[in-house]
């Protein structure tokens, strides 16, 4: 991301293409046809870039991922391709720098999450980044068995227990299951300590999940974002898909709360601004902590590259027109400036409150 937002094209512009390349839902030829249609929007001025992208799709892309982001400039001398486990909406942009808004959305939604699938005997841990499995591990405990009347348990004896009979058999099962889950919680803590995650999901029966949740260390509990029914023997692909579906729901709820916070802070005159002009001024002042924009929002403006000053309304600028360069999409420039300044970017779709606030706003550092 840093490479993309600091790219210098010497005024030649960069062609950015985002594609839905899920070949399970449409043929490869149909996807290529869509890409060629998009590239016609930047031809013939950027014929070499378009040809470079088409050659990559024809000869180099392996079509194993449902999403693809492509950036090409300097007549094809600059070329970057990033595969994504999540499909993009098809679009093309021609701008001074790579168009990164969809990538910021991907990083914000799908970076570093984990799943624990648990039952009364064992658990499976999964660490994901951008929807792809990074690591997995299995923790297996003692078999949970009901004791017959008068029967003892050598396993319990080894742990300092005694034989349990009659009505105590059920209690023994619960004790073994609880011990297994405590061991799995400790193992999960070690597994995820080496792989920091932002969100954690639990899979299993509602009873087991509720019991296991309380056994997790507080740091993992603070990451909990939801749970879903899941059998311990389920395949990784099924686990991943259920987690991704729930992740989308969680992100939608989080986005709604974030926009509500933005609007509320602004109404109180606190550290937030809404609307294009005030937001761009905050970016120029390097005050933005979180930039919040509507997906698809584009508008022209002006930028002074040296200082990072951005403005849409020339009448509001203290700089002379000769000091500024035209920006075909000043919102994209705002995204790049925010990322370069160490800020966070949220791209939010279909939120009426954000639309009413001018489609753009920012929560400020001060």
């Amino acid at each position: 991301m840093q490479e993309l937002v600091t790219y210098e094209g010497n005024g030649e512009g960069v062609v950015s293409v985002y594609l839905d390349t899920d070949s399970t839902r449409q043929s490869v030829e149909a996807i290529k046809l869509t890409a060629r249609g998009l590239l016609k929007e930047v031809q013939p001025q950027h014929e070499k870039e378009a040809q470079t992208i088409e050659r990559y799709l024809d000869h180099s892309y392996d079509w194993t991922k449902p999403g693809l982001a492509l950036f090409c400039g300097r007549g094809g001398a600059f070329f970057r391709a990033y595969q994504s486990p999540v499909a993009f909406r098809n679009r093309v942009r021609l701008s001074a720098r790579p168009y990164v808004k969809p990538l910021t959305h991907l990083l914000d939604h799908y970076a570093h999450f984990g799943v624990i699938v648990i039952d009364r005997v064992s658990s499976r841990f999964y660490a994901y980044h951008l929807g792809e499995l990074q690591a997995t591990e299995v923790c297996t405990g003692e078999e949970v068995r009901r004791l017959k009347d008068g029967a003892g348990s050598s396993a319990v004896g080894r742990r300092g227990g005694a034989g349990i009979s009659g009505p105590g058999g059920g209690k023994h099962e619960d004790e073994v299951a609880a011990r297994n889950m405590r061991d799995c919680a400790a193992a999960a803590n070690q597994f995820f300590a080496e792989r920091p995650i932002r969100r954690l999901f639990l899979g299993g029966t509602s009873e087991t999940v509720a019991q296991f949740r309380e056994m997790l260390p507080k740091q993992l509990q603070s990451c909990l974002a939801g749970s879903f029914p899941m059998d311990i023997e389920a395949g990784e692909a099924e686990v991943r898909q259920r987690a991704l579906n729930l992740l989308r729901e969680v992100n939608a709820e989080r986005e709604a709360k974030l926009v509500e916070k933005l609007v509320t802070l602004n109404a109180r005159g606190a550290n937030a601004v809404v609307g294009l002009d005030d937001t761009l001024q905050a970016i120029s002042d390097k005050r933005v902590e979180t930039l919040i924009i509507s997906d698809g929002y584009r508008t022209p403006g002006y930028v002074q590259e040296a200082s990072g000053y951005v403005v849409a309304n020339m009448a509001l600028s203290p700089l002379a027109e000769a000091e500024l360069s035209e920006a075909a999409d000043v919102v994209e420039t705002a995204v790049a400036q925010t990322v370069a300044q160490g800020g966070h970017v949220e791209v939010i779709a279909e939120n009426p409150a954000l639309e009413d606030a001018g489609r753009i706003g920012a929560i400020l550092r001060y």
Side-chain angles (χ1 to χ4, degrees):
M1 182 66 76
Q2 286 297 329
E3 180 196 26
L4 293 175
V5 300
T6 57
Y7 171 85
E8 295 294 342
N10 299 322
E12 295 182 17
V14 178
V15 177
S16 305
V17 179
Y18 289 86
L19 293 174
D20 178 346
T21 55
D22 188 349
S23 56
T24 65
R25 294 189 295 105
Q26 53 186 330
S27 70
V28 168
E29 288 306 315
I31 299 170
K32 290 181 181 179
L33 185 62
T34 298
R36 286 195 290 270
L38 292 173
L39 290 170
K40 286 181 180 178
E41 296 183 27
V42 299
Q43 293 170 303
Q45 297 93 329
H46 292 271
E47 187 68 36
K48 290 183 178 179
E49 286 85 351
Q51 290 176 354
T52 300
I53 290 171
E54 288 190 37
R55 280 198 302 272
Y56 175 79
L57 294 174
D58 286 336
H59 305 295
S60 301
Y61 187 44
D62 59 14
W63 303 97
T64 58
K65 296 291 191 302
L68 178 63
L70 298 163
F71 306 95
C72 191
R74 302 190 197 120
F78 173 81
F79 180 79
R80 298 289 186 272
Y82 301 102
Q83 300 182 33
S84 165
V86 180
F88 291 113
R89 179 163 63 86
N90 294 319
R91 64 183 100 184
V92 63
R93 294 287 189 274
L94 175 61
S95 51
R97 288 195 175 103
Y99 173 69
V100 298
K101 274 189 286 188
L103 275 186
T104 62
H105 182 78
L106 175 71
L107 289 169
D108 181 62
H109 276 59
Y110 299 105
H112 301 296
F113 65 94
V115 180
I116 301 174
V117 181
I118 182 82
D119 68 8
R120 287 161 62 87
V121 177
S122 59
S123 61
R124 296 179 183 271
F125 314 140
Y126 303 90
Y128 293 94
H129 180 53
L130 302 182
E132 289 191 306
L133 182 66
Q134 304 294 303
T136 184
E137 190 173 291
V138 177
C139 175
T140 302
E142 179 183 343
E143 183 180 354
V144 179
R145 294 183 298 174
R146 174 175 290 278
L147 298 180
K148 296 181 180 179
D149 288 353
S153 169
S154 59
V156 173
R158 286 198 301 272
R159 293 177 180 264
I164 300 176
S165 62
K171 181 180 178 182
H172 167 74
E173 292 178 40
D174 292 340
E175 288 175 347
V176 172
R179 189 162 58 237
N180 287 339
M181 282 189 273
R182 281 194 295 270
D183 290 344
C184 287
N189 188 46
Q190 183 175 354
F191 176 82
F192 287 111
E194 300 170 359
R195 304 167 182 87
I197 55 171
R198 297 170 58 192
R199 300 180 183 93
L200 177 64
F201 300 98
L202 301 181
T205 66
S206 57
E207 180 182 357
T208 303
V209 165
Q211 187 177 359
F212 181 70
R213 181 188 292 115
E214 300 304 316
M215 297 177 179
L216 285 171
K218 292 193 183 309
Q219 185 173 358
L220 286 182
Q221 286 188 23
S222 69
C223 298
L224 286 173
S227 62
F228 49 86
M230 183 60 63
D231 188 273
I232 193 71
E233 298 300 329
E236 184 274 325
E238 183 180 356
V239 172
R240 181 177 69 250
Q241 191 56 55
R242 291 295 297 273
L244 286 173
N245 291 342
L246 191 54
L247 192 59
R248 293 186 185 98
E249 296 177 14
V250 169
N251 278 316
E253 294 176 6
R254 181 187 58 80
E255 288 177 346
K257 291 179 180 177
L258 184 64
V259 172
E260 182 181 359
K261 177 182 177 181
L262 170 72
V263 173
T264 300
L265 286 174
N266 178 71
R268 293 175 180 171
N271 290 344
V273 293
V274 298
L276 182 62
D277 293 332
D278 288 345
T279 302
L280 294 182
Q281 184 60 56
I283 291 170
S284 298
D285 295 338
K286 299 178 172 57
R287 297 174 59 200
V288 173
E289 178 180 285
T290 303
L291 176 65
I292 303 168
I293 55 177
S294 292
D295 187 25
Y297 181 36
R298 303 175 67 192
T299 190
Y302 306 88
V303 59
Q304 186 186 54
E305 295 288 350
S307 65
Y309 181 82
V310 286
V311 66
N313 185 350
M314 185 67 75
L316 299 176
S317 173
L319 302 178
E321 185 173 351
E323 298 178 79
L324 298 167
S325 302
E326 290 189 6
D329 181 7
V330 76
V331 178
E332 173 62 17
T333 304
V335 170
Q337 297 285 22
T338 300
V339 173
Q341 294 168 13
H344 180 63
V345 178
E346 294 272 358
V347 182
I348 297 178
E350 300 177 356
N351 186 292
L354 183 57
E355 297 290 320
D356 292 342
R359 306 191 71 187
I360 188 169
I363 296 173
L364 308 179
R365 295 190 175 102
Y366 61 90

